[in-house]
Amino acid sequence: MSADERGERLQIMLSQDELRALEDWRFAKRMPSRAAAVRELLRRGLTAEGFDLAGEGVRSKQFGIVDKGGADASSDEEA
């Protein structure tokens, strides 16, 4: 799987008002898809809450809710 492919599917239910707000934001920002808009909003929300974004080459297993390693864990581990 390439770095651009998504391995997990997340299904959510939205009210008509929530969907309208998402679509309005998506079109205003010229996002290519709903999925891209949701990912961008999640990224922005997590960043606003103080969660750092992963650096280049950081593996996903280095991040977790209860993992104490976080983004600073050794990058020598293989996925």
Side-chain angles (χ1 to χ4, degrees):
M1 183 182 318
S2 76
D4 292 336
E5 291 181 24
R6 303 287 193 268
E8 297 290 328
R9 180 179 300 267
L10 176 65
Q11 184 174 353
I12 63 170
M13 301 292 291
L14 300 174
S15 70
Q16 286 297 315
D17 289 339
E18 291 167 334
L19 183 58
R20 189 175 308 109
L22 175 63
E23 290 293 304
D24 289 348
W25 186 87
R26 171 188 167 203
F27 286 114
K29 301 296 184 190
R30 300 190 182 274
M31 300 297 294
S33 66
R34 283 182 184 166
V38 169
R39 284 192 299 271
E40 178 62 15
L41 289 168
L42 282 169
R43 184 192 68 78
R44 289 178 181 210
L46 290 171
T47 301
E49 291 294 319
F51 288 89
D52 290 331
L53 298 179
E56 192 70 29
V58 177
R59 300 199 180 270
S60 62
K61 74 178 196 174
Q62 293 176 260
F63 295 88
I65 296 171
V66 296
D67 182 78
K68 293 183 172 94
D72 295 329
S74 171
S75 61
D76 294 336
E77 297 176 5
E78 291 296 320

